[in-house]
Amino acid sequence: MNLHEIRYTFEHGLLPHCFFEEKEKLIGLVLQNKEILFQIIDDIFTQEKVENPYSAEQFTVEKGKITDEVMMIKFTFPAPEEEPLCYCSYLFFDKGFEKLGYFCIERGNALGGASPFVCAWTQDGSHVNYGNCTFENQNDFLRCADIYMEREYGMKREES
Protein backbone atom coordinates (compact mmCIF):
# COMPACT_ATOMS: atom_id res chain seq x y z
CA MET A 1 0.00 0.00 0.00
CA ASN A 2 1.04 3.59 -0.55
CA LEU A 3 0.34 6.64 1.65
CA HIS A 4 -3.07 7.29 0.06
CA GLU A 5 -4.17 3.66 0.44
CA ILE A 6 -3.02 3.53 4.06
CA ARG A 7 -4.92 6.69 4.97
CA TYR A 8 -8.00 5.63 3.04
CA THR A 9 -8.03 2.21 4.70
CA PHE A 10 -7.57 3.79 8.13
CA GLU A 11 -10.11 6.64 7.74
CA HIS A 12 -12.75 4.92 5.59
CA GLY A 13 -12.35 1.28 6.54
CA LEU A 14 -10.80 0.53 9.91
CA LEU A 15 -12.23 3.38 12.00
CA PRO A 16 -15.88 3.13 10.82
CA HIS A 17 -15.73 -0.67 11.12
CA CYS A 18 -14.33 -0.48 14.66
CA PHE A 19 -16.92 2.13 15.61
CA PHE A 20 -19.88 0.06 14.41
CA GLU A 21 -18.54 -3.30 15.61
CA GLU A 22 -16.67 -2.36 18.82
CA LYS A 23 -18.22 1.01 19.66
CA GLU A 24 -17.79 1.02 23.43
CA LYS A 25 -14.28 -0.40 23.19
CA LEU A 26 -13.18 2.13 20.55
CA ILE A 27 -14.65 5.10 22.43
CA GLY A 28 -13.02 3.91 25.67
CA LEU A 29 -9.63 3.48 23.99
CA VAL A 30 -9.57 6.91 22.34
CA LEU A 31 -10.70 8.66 25.52
CA GLN A 32 -8.06 6.87 27.63
CA ASN A 33 -5.21 7.31 25.15
CA LYS A 34 -5.35 10.45 23.02
CA GLU A 35 -2.45 9.17 20.89
CA ILE A 36 -4.12 5.88 19.94
CA LEU A 37 -5.13 7.10 16.46
CA PHE A 38 -1.52 7.94 15.62
CA GLN A 39 -0.30 4.67 17.13
CA ILE A 40 -2.74 2.65 14.99
CA ILE A 41 -1.88 4.37 11.70
CA ASP A 42 1.82 4.31 12.57
CA ASP A 43 1.54 0.52 13.02
CA ILE A 44 -0.07 0.25 9.57
CA PHE A 45 2.77 2.29 8.00
CA THR A 46 5.29 0.02 9.75
CA GLN A 47 3.53 -3.17 8.60
CA GLU A 48 3.41 -1.86 5.03
CA LYS A 49 7.06 -0.72 5.18
CA VAL A 50 6.06 2.82 4.18
CA GLU A 51 7.57 5.87 5.88
CA ASN A 52 5.02 7.65 8.08
CA PRO A 53 5.14 11.38 7.26
CA TYR A 54 2.83 12.32 10.16
CA SER A 55 3.35 13.13 13.82
CA ALA A 56 1.20 12.30 16.83
CA GLU A 57 0.27 15.98 17.21
CA GLN A 58 -1.56 15.88 13.86
CA PHE A 59 -4.14 13.44 15.24
CA THR A 60 -6.52 14.73 17.90
CA VAL A 61 -9.54 13.42 19.76
CA GLU A 62 -12.20 15.74 21.18
CA LYS A 63 -15.40 14.86 22.95
CA GLY A 64 -18.63 16.77 23.18
CA LYS A 65 -22.18 16.50 24.43
CA ILE A 66 -25.04 17.21 22.02
CA THR A 67 -27.93 16.50 24.42
CA ASP A 68 -28.27 14.64 27.73
CA GLU A 69 -28.56 11.46 25.63
CA VAL A 70 -26.24 12.13 22.68
CA MET A 71 -22.46 12.34 22.72
CA MET A 72 -19.94 13.15 19.98
CA ILE A 73 -16.31 12.31 19.42
CA LYS A 74 -14.26 14.17 16.80
CA PHE A 75 -11.15 12.66 15.26
CA THR A 76 -8.93 15.21 13.51
CA PHE A 77 -6.41 13.95 10.96
CA PRO A 78 -3.50 15.60 9.13
CA ALA A 79 -4.63 17.78 6.22
CA PRO A 80 -5.61 15.41 3.43
CA GLU A 81 -3.31 15.41 0.41
CA GLU A 82 -6.07 14.43 -2.01
CA GLU A 83 -9.73 13.50 -2.38
CA PRO A 84 -11.40 11.56 -0.65
CA LEU A 85 -9.08 11.59 2.36
CA CYS A 86 -10.49 13.20 5.50
CA TYR A 87 -9.91 16.34 7.49
CA CYS A 88 -11.82 14.83 10.38
CA SER A 89 -14.53 12.38 11.41
CA TYR A 90 -17.47 12.91 13.75
CA LEU A 91 -18.83 9.95 15.70
CA PHE A 92 -22.28 10.36 17.25
CA PHE A 93 -23.84 7.91 19.69
CA ASP A 94 -26.45 7.68 22.39
CA LYS A 95 -25.81 6.39 25.91
CA GLY A 96 -26.91 2.88 24.94
CA PHE A 97 -24.83 2.85 21.73
CA GLU A 98 -27.97 2.04 19.76
CA LYS A 99 -28.14 5.15 17.55
CA LEU A 100 -24.81 5.52 15.81
CA GLY A 101 -23.52 7.97 13.23
CA TYR A 102 -20.09 8.03 11.59
CA PHE A 103 -19.42 11.12 9.45
CA CYS A 104 -16.33 12.12 7.46
CA ILE A 105 -15.37 15.56 6.27
CA GLU A 106 -13.57 14.70 3.06
CA ARG A 107 -11.31 16.77 0.88
CA GLY A 108 -13.29 18.25 -2.00
CA ASN A 109 -12.55 18.42 -5.70
CA ALA A 110 -12.54 21.07 -8.41
CA LEU A 111 -16.17 20.28 -9.34
CA GLY A 112 -17.31 21.31 -5.86
CA GLY A 113 -15.12 24.40 -5.79
CA ALA A 114 -12.65 22.45 -3.61
CA SER A 115 -15.11 22.70 -0.69
CA PRO A 116 -15.05 19.72 1.67
CA PHE A 117 -17.73 17.04 1.43
CA VAL A 118 -19.91 15.85 4.32
CA CYS A 119 -20.06 12.09 3.97
CA ALA A 120 -21.09 9.21 6.19
CA TRP A 121 -20.48 5.51 6.55
CA THR A 122 -23.40 3.31 7.59
CA GLN A 123 -23.41 0.11 9.62
CA ASP A 124 -23.90 -1.94 6.44
CA GLY A 125 -20.77 -0.40 4.90
CA SER A 126 -22.49 2.07 2.57
CA HIS A 127 -20.94 5.46 1.85
CA VAL A 128 -23.32 8.44 1.65
CA ASN A 129 -22.39 11.90 0.31
CA TYR A 130 -24.44 14.79 1.75
CA GLY A 131 -22.81 17.49 -0.38
CA ASN A 132 -20.38 20.28 0.36
CA CYS A 133 -19.76 22.19 3.57
CA THR A 134 -17.36 24.80 4.88
CA PHE A 135 -15.34 25.09 8.06
CA GLU A 136 -16.71 28.56 8.82
CA ASN A 137 -18.72 28.84 12.05
CA GLN A 138 -18.40 25.07 12.60
CA ASN A 139 -20.51 24.40 9.51
CA ASP A 140 -18.95 20.95 9.08
CA PHE A 141 -19.88 19.87 12.62
CA LEU A 142 -23.35 21.45 12.48
CA ARG A 143 -24.18 19.70 9.18
CA CYS A 144 -23.19 16.32 10.66
CA ALA A 145 -25.07 16.95 13.91
CA ASP A 146 -28.18 18.11 12.02
CA ILE A 147 -28.19 15.03 9.78
CA TYR A 148 -27.70 12.69 12.74
CA MET A 149 -30.31 14.33 14.98
CA GLU A 150 -32.94 14.45 12.22
CA ARG A 151 -32.26 10.86 11.12
CA GLU A 152 -32.16 9.31 14.60
CA TYR A 153 -34.51 11.56 16.58
CA GLY A 154 -36.60 13.43 14.01
CA MET A 155 -35.29 16.69 15.45
CA LYS A 156 -34.51 19.74 13.32
CA ARG A 157 -32.51 22.68 14.58
CA GLU A 158 -34.20 26.05 14.15
CA GLU A 159 -32.37 28.29 11.71
CA SER A 160 -31.32 31.57 13.28
Side-chain angles (χ1 to χ4, degrees), residues 39-67:
Q39 291 166 352
I40 293 168
I41 199 168
D42 192 54
D43 286 349
I44 298 169
F45 275 106
T46 300
Q47 289 171 353
E48 294 298 321
K49 297 178 175 52
V50 174
E51 185 177 339
N52 182 353
Y54 308 119
S55 67
E57 295 76 34
Q58 292 176 289
F59 295 82
T60 63
V61 175
E62 300 170 54
K63 65 179 181 173
K65 186 175 175 181
I66 308 302
T67 69

Short mmCIF file of all heavy atoms in Angstrom, two decimals, residues 39-67:
data_model
loop_
_atom_site.label_atom_id
_atom_site.label_comp_id
_atom_site.label_asym_id
_atom_site.label_seq_id
_atom_site.Cartn_x
_atom_site.Cartn_y
_atom_site.Cartn_z
N GLN A 39 -0.95 5.97 16.91
CA GLN A 39 -0.30 4.67 17.13
C GLN A 39 -0.83 3.62 16.16
O GLN A 39 -0.06 2.82 15.61
CB GLN A 39 -0.49 4.22 18.57
CG GLN A 39 0.26 5.08 19.56
CD GLN A 39 -0.17 4.87 21.01
OE1 GLN A 39 -1.14 4.19 21.30
NE2 GLN A 39 0.56 5.51 21.93
N ILE A 40 -2.14 3.63 15.90
CA ILE A 40 -2.74 2.65 14.99
C ILE A 40 -2.24 2.88 13.56
O ILE A 40 -1.78 1.95 12.90
CB ILE A 40 -4.28 2.71 15.04
CG1 ILE A 40 -4.78 2.23 16.40
CG2 ILE A 40 -4.89 1.86 13.91
CD1 ILE A 40 -6.26 2.51 16.66
N ILE A 41 -2.31 4.13 13.08
CA ILE A 41 -1.88 4.37 11.70
C ILE A 41 -0.37 4.18 11.57
O ILE A 41 0.11 3.69 10.54
CB ILE A 41 -2.35 5.74 11.17
CG1 ILE A 41 -2.30 5.73 9.63
CG2 ILE A 41 -1.56 6.88 11.76
CD1 ILE A 41 -2.99 6.90 8.96
N ASP A 42 0.38 4.52 12.60
CA ASP A 42 1.82 4.31 12.57
C ASP A 42 2.14 2.81 12.44
O ASP A 42 3.05 2.42 11.70
CB ASP A 42 2.47 4.91 13.81
CG ASP A 42 3.98 4.96 13.69
OD1 ASP A 42 4.49 5.54 12.70
OD2 ASP A 42 4.67 4.42 14.59
N ASP A 43 1.38 1.98 13.14
CA ASP A 43 1.54 0.52 13.02
C ASP A 43 1.27 0.05 11.60
O ASP A 43 1.96 -0.84 11.08
CB ASP A 43 0.63 -0.22 14.00
CG ASP A 43 1.10 -0.15 15.44
OD1 ASP A 43 2.24 0.30 15.68
OD2 ASP A 43 0.31 -0.51 16.33
N ILE A 44 0.25 0.64 10.95
CA ILE A 44 -0.07 0.25 9.57
C ILE A 44 1.09 0.65 8.65
O ILE A 44 1.51 -0.14 7.80
CB ILE A 44 -1.40 0.87 9.11
CG1 ILE A 44 -2.55 0.37 9.97
CG2 ILE A 44 -1.66 0.54 7.63
CD1 ILE A 44 -3.87 1.12 9.76
N PHE A 45 1.61 1.87 8.81
CA PHE A 45 2.77 2.29 8.00
C PHE A 45 3.94 1.32 8.20
O PHE A 45 4.58 0.92 7.23
CB PHE A 45 3.20 3.72 8.37
CG PHE A 45 2.43 4.80 7.66
CD1 PHE A 45 1.48 5.55 8.33
CD2 PHE A 45 2.67 5.07 6.31
CE1 PHE A 45 0.77 6.56 7.68
CE2 PHE A 45 1.97 6.08 5.66
CZ PHE A 45 1.02 6.82 6.34
N THR A 46 4.18 0.95 9.46
CA THR A 46 5.29 0.02 9.75
C THR A 46 5.05 -1.32 9.08
O THR A 46 5.96 -1.87 8.45
CB THR A 46 5.45 -0.14 11.29
OG1 THR A 46 5.73 1.14 11.85
CG2 THR A 46 6.57 -1.11 11.62
N GLN A 47 3.85 -1.88 9.22
CA GLN A 47 3.53 -3.17 8.60
C GLN A 47 3.70 -3.13 7.08
O GLN A 47 4.14 -4.10 6.47
CB GLN A 47 2.10 -3.59 8.93
CG GLN A 47 1.89 -4.00 10.34
CD GLN A 47 0.41 -4.21 10.67
OE1 GLN A 47 -0.47 -3.92 9.89
NE2 GLN A 47 0.15 -4.72 11.87
N GLU A 48 3.34 -2.00 6.49
CA GLU A 48 3.41 -1.86 5.03
C GLU A 48 4.78 -1.41 4.54
O GLU A 48 4.99 -1.24 3.35
CB GLU A 48 2.33 -0.89 4.55
CG GLU A 48 0.93 -1.38 4.76
CD GLU A 48 0.62 -2.67 3.99
OE1 GLU A 48 1.07 -2.80 2.83
OE2 GLU A 48 -0.07 -3.55 4.55
N LYS A 49 5.71 -1.17 5.50
CA LYS A 49 7.06 -0.72 5.18
C LYS A 49 7.04 0.57 4.36
O LYS A 49 7.77 0.73 3.37
CB LYS A 49 7.85 -1.82 4.46
CG LYS A 49 8.06 -3.05 5.32
CD LYS A 49 8.79 -4.13 4.57
CE LYS A 49 9.13 -5.33 5.41
NZ LYS A 49 8.10 -5.96 6.15
N VAL A 50 6.18 1.50 4.79
CA VAL A 50 6.06 2.82 4.18
C VAL A 50 6.40 3.84 5.26
O VAL A 50 5.94 3.71 6.40
CB VAL A 50 4.63 3.06 3.63
CG1 VAL A 50 4.47 4.49 3.12
CG2 VAL A 50 4.28 2.05 2.55
N GLU A 51 7.20 4.84 4.90
CA GLU A 51 7.57 5.87 5.88
C GLU A 51 6.34 6.69 6.27
O GLU A 51 5.59 7.15 5.42
CB GLU A 51 8.64 6.79 5.31
CG GLU A 51 9.14 7.79 6.33
CD GLU A 51 10.25 8.67 5.79
OE1 GLU A 51 10.90 8.29 4.81
OE2 GLU A 51 10.45 9.75 6.37
N ASN A 52 6.14 6.87 7.56
CA ASN A 52 5.02 7.65 8.08
C ASN A 52 5.42 9.12 8.11
O ASN A 52 6.30 9.51 8.89
CB ASN A 52 4.65 7.17 9.48
CG ASN A 52 3.46 7.89 10.07
OD1 ASN A 52 2.96 8.86 9.48
ND2 ASN A 52 3.00 7.45 11.21
N PRO A 53 4.77 9.96 7.28
CA PRO A 53 5.14 11.38 7.26
C PRO A 53 4.47 12.21 8.35
O PRO A 53 4.69 13.42 8.43
CB PRO A 53 4.65 11.83 5.88
CG PRO A 53 3.44 10.98 5.64
CD PRO A 53 3.78 9.64 6.28
N TYR A 54 3.64 11.59 9.18
CA TYR A 54 2.83 12.32 10.16
C TYR A 54 3.41 12.22 11.56
O TYR A 54 4.18 11.33 11.88
CB TYR A 54 1.40 11.78 10.15
CG TYR A 54 0.78 11.74 8.78
CD1 TYR A 54 0.37 10.53 8.23
CD2 TYR A 54 0.61 12.90 8.03
CE1 TYR A 54 -0.19 10.49 6.96
CE2 TYR A 54 0.05 12.86 6.77
CZ TYR A 54 -0.34 11.65 6.24
OH TYR A 54 -0.89 11.62 4.98
N SER A 55 2.96 13.15 12.41
CA SER A 55 3.35 13.13 13.82
C SER A 55 2.11 12.94 14.68
O SER A 55 0.98 13.19 14.23
CB SER A 55 4.04 14.44 14.21
OG SER A 55 3.10 15.51 14.15
N ALA A 56 2.32 12.54 15.91
CA ALA A 56 1.20 12.30 16.83
C ALA A 56 0.36 13.55 17.04
O ALA A 56 -0.86 13.48 17.21
CB ALA A 56 1.73 11.79 18.17
N GLU A 57 0.99 14.72 16.99
CA GLU A 57 0.27 15.98 17.21
C GLU A 57 -0.75 16.29 16.12
O GLU A 57 -1.65 17.10 16.31
CB GLU A 57 1.26 17.16 17.31
CG GLU A 57 2.18 17.10 18.51
CD GLU A 57 3.32 16.08 18.35
OE1 GLU A 57 3.82 15.88 17.23
OE2 GLU A 57 3.67 15.46 19.37
N GLN A 58 -0.63 15.64 14.97
CA GLN A 58 -1.56 15.88 13.86
C GLN A 58 -2.86 15.10 14.01
O GLN A 58 -3.78 15.31 13.23
CB GLN A 58 -0.89 15.54 12.53
CG GLN A 58 0.24 16.49 12.18
CD GLN A 58 0.95 16.07 10.92
OE1 GLN A 58 1.66 15.07 10.90
NE2 GLN A 58 0.74 16.83 9.87
N PHE A 59 -2.94 14.24 14.99
CA PHE A 59 -4.14 13.44 15.24
C PHE A 59 -4.70 13.86 16.60
O PHE A 59 -4.00 13.76 17.61
CB PHE A 59 -3.81 11.95 15.27
CG PHE A 59 -3.33 11.41 13.96
CD1 PHE A 59 -2.01 11.56 13.57
CD2 PHE A 59 -4.21 10.76 13.11
CE1 PHE A 59 -1.57 11.07 12.35
CE2 PHE A 59 -3.77 10.26 11.89
CZ PHE A 59 -2.46 10.42 11.51
N THR A 60 -5.93 14.33 16.62
CA THR A 60 -6.52 14.73 17.90
C THR A 60 -7.87 14.05 18.10
O THR A 60 -8.52 13.63 17.14
CB THR A 60 -6.70 16.25 18.00
OG1 THR A 60 -7.62 16.69 17.00
CG2 THR A 60 -5.37 16.98 17.85
N VAL A 61 -8.25 13.98 19.36
CA VAL A 61 -9.54 13.42 19.76
C VAL A 61 -10.21 14.44 20.68
O VAL A 61 -9.60 14.88 21.65
CB VAL A 61 -9.37 12.08 20.51
CG1 VAL A 61 -10.70 11.56 21.02
CG2 VAL A 61 -8.68 11.04 19.62
N GLU A 62 -11.42 14.82 20.34
CA GLU A 62 -12.20 15.74 21.18
C GLU A 62 -13.54 15.10 21.46
O GLU A 62 -14.09 14.41 20.61
CB GLU A 62 -12.44 17.07 20.45
CG GLU A 62 -11.20 17.82 20.06
CD GLU A 62 -11.53 18.98 19.15
OE1 GLU A 62 -12.37 19.82 19.53
OE2 GLU A 62 -10.95 19.04 18.05
N LYS A 63 -14.07 15.37 22.64
CA LYS A 63 -15.40 14.86 22.95
C LYS A 63 -16.35 16.01 23.21
O LYS A 63 -15.94 17.10 23.60
CB LYS A 63 -15.38 13.89 24.12
CG LYS A 63 -14.98 14.51 25.44
CD LYS A 63 -15.01 13.47 26.53
CE LYS A 63 -14.64 14.14 27.86
NZ LYS A 63 -14.80 13.27 28.98
N GLY A 64 -17.62 15.75 22.96
CA GLY A 64 -18.63 16.77 23.18
C GLY A 64 -19.97 16.14 23.51
O GLY A 64 -20.18 14.94 23.31
N LYS A 65 -20.84 16.96 24.04
CA LYS A 65 -22.18 16.50 24.43
C LYS A 65 -23.19 17.28 23.59
O LYS A 65 -23.16 18.51 23.59
CB LYS A 65 -22.39 16.75 25.92
CG LYS A 65 -23.65 16.22 26.48
CD LYS A 65 -23.64 16.44 28.00
CE LYS A 65 -24.95 16.02 28.61
NZ LYS A 65 -24.96 16.24 30.05
N ILE A 66 -24.04 16.58 22.88
CA ILE A 66 -25.04 17.21 22.02
C ILE A 66 -26.32 17.46 22.83
O ILE A 66 -26.86 18.56 22.83
CB ILE A 66 -25.36 16.34 20.79
CG1 ILE A 66 -24.08 15.95 20.04
CG2 ILE A 66 -26.34 17.04 19.86
CD1 ILE A 66 -23.23 17.10 19.55
N THR A 67 -26.78 16.42 23.52
CA THR A 67 -27.93 16.50 24.42
C THR A 67 -27.58 15.65 25.65
O THR A 67 -26.50 15.08 25.71
CB THR A 67 -29.23 15.95 23.78
OG1 THR A 67 -29.10 14.52 23.63
CG2 THR A 67 -29.52 16.59 22.43
#
